[in-house]
Amino acid sequence: MRVLLLGGTGDARKLARQLASHDVYSLAGLGRVPDDLPCEVRVGGFGGSEGLANYLVTESVELLIDATHPYAAQISANARTAGQRCDVPVWALRRAPWQPRPGDDWRAVHGWPAMCDALAAFSRPLFTSGREPLNHLNTIPAHQRWVVRCLDDHPGNAQALVIGARGPFTHESERALFAQHDIDVVVSKNSGGAATEAKLDVARERGLPVVMLARPPVVEADRTFETGDALLAALDAWRAGAPIQHNPTS
Ligand code: NAP
């Protein structure tokens, strides 16, 4: 009963800690590669859905678990296609999105151009949405100074400070960051989860808007779980002989 776990998130890393030595944890290779897991770890793309399908067959994978980030739409679609092609069930951990609370001023946008329009009236945006702003450091409007927080360090430029940092982030550290750089708007993905939620609380405290990049459409799976604990319980049951069920959300 060999499991292939597609990861790259904190939730996935927690799941990987519960895998067996013959199971495999797979990473794209963008971040740190853990060296303390009980399972095999592989790094790098498979070569699309076809490459992933080949891997499922050659490595005798019996269950594919997609615990990738909610915005990692390509690998989730590849998992769905490859699972169907090889008749390997796909279970997905789909982290619930954050919901706005009273006092929040969230502005939903789809894509980079719409986000730039939404930011036009502001001068000190804090980007917490990944690497994409690094591709646009040479086209920062003259009235803006950017703070970009992403996983990797980067030299930035005269108009952009890039901070390489990984969550979780505390309320205290977020308050200090917002104050130090006089942030007047936050850019975020709606990642969900507790690790990076503090920035939303601090934005609310300071009365700042959040430009929220819309989630890509959800990719279907044979079973969908909202928590890692629910997925682990189903995994234990499956290993103990329970049949693979289709489509309930746990
Ligand atoms: P993506 O657009 O869905 O994936 C791009 C390509 O990267 C995939 O087609 C696949 O290459 C490879 N890939 C992605 N995840 C992989 C995995 N777990 N194992 C092996 N190959 C993988 O995803 P992305 O947005 O570039 O994100 C890449 C990884 O970073 C994901 O694992 C995701 O969980 C993590 N991450 C993403 C975000 C985000 O905001 N997108 C945030 C935090 C973490 P092939 O087609 O060659 O197989």
Side-chain angles (χ1 to χ4, degrees):
M1 287 184 164
R2 193 174 201 204
V3 172
L4 172 62
L5 169 63
L6 302 173
T9 60
D11 289 339
R13 213 163 38 246
K14 279 187 207 152
L15 289 176
R17 294 196 189 292
Q18 306 304 320
L19 293 182
S21 58
H22 60 274
D23 295 328
V24 183
Y25 180 49
S26 175
L27 290 164
L30 304 178
R32 216 171 21 210
V33 178
D35 57 6
D36 58 349
L37 295 178
C39 58
E40 287 180 30
V41 179
R42 68 165 298 287
V43 179
F46 295 93
S49 60
E50 202 169 315
L52 180 53
N54 287 338
Y55 184 93
L56 296 179
V57 173
T58 56
E59 296 295 322
S60 305
V61 172
E62 290 176 70
L63 176 64
L64 178 54
I65 299 178
D66 172 11
T68 57
H69 193 271
Y71 287 72
Q74 186 60 56
I75 188 68
S76 293
N78 291 352
R80 174 75 171 156
T81 304
Q84 285 179 328
R85 190 177 304 167
C86 304
D87 204 20
V88 170
V90 180
W91 289 2
L93 181 59
R94 302 279 186 238
R95 208 191 291 165
W98 294 311
Q99 299 296 336
R101 301 203 197 141
D104 279 331
D105 175 8
W106 290 6
R107 304 173 185 189
V109 295
H110 291 78
W112 185 262
M115 195 202 58
C116 290
D117 290 347
L119 292 180
F122 300 93
S123 56
R124 303 299 300 255
L126 169 64
F127 290 85
T128 63
S129 53
R131 294 180 52 82
E132 191 176 13
L134 303 183
N135 300 327
H136 303 275
L137 296 186
N138 294 327
T139 56
I140 299 176
H143 69 286
Q144 291 184 346
R145 294 287 177 278
W146 290 5
V147 177
V148 179
R149 182 171 68 196
C150 57
L151 292 181
D152 315 292
D153 285 324
H154 185 284
N157 63 25
Q159 282 183 269
L161 171 69
V162 181
I163 301 172
R166 293 161 195 274
F169 301 106
T170 65
H171 287 86
E172 289 68 28
S173 68
E174 297 294 50
R175 284 186 191 110
L177 180 74
F178 280 54
Q180 183 184 354
H181 300 290
D182 202 16
I183 297 303
D184 62 359
V185 62
V186 180
V187 179
S188 179
K189 289 175 174 168
N190 194 336
S191 301
T196 57
E197 195 177 13
K199 65 189 169 190
L200 302 178
D201 296 331
V202 176
R204 189 183 315 111
E205 284 171 13
R206 297 173 75 91
L208 301 181
V210 177
V211 174
M212 195 66 92
L213 292 162
R215 279 192 175 197
V218 175
V219 176
E220 297 281 308
D222 296 301
R223 273 191 88 170
T224 302
F225 301 86
E226 287 182 359
T227 66
D229 285 346
L231 195 151
L232 281 176
L235 190 58
D236 284 345
W238 176 65
R239 289 199 196 280
I244 298 276
Q245 299 169 40
H246 286 272
N247 276 329
T249 296
S250 311

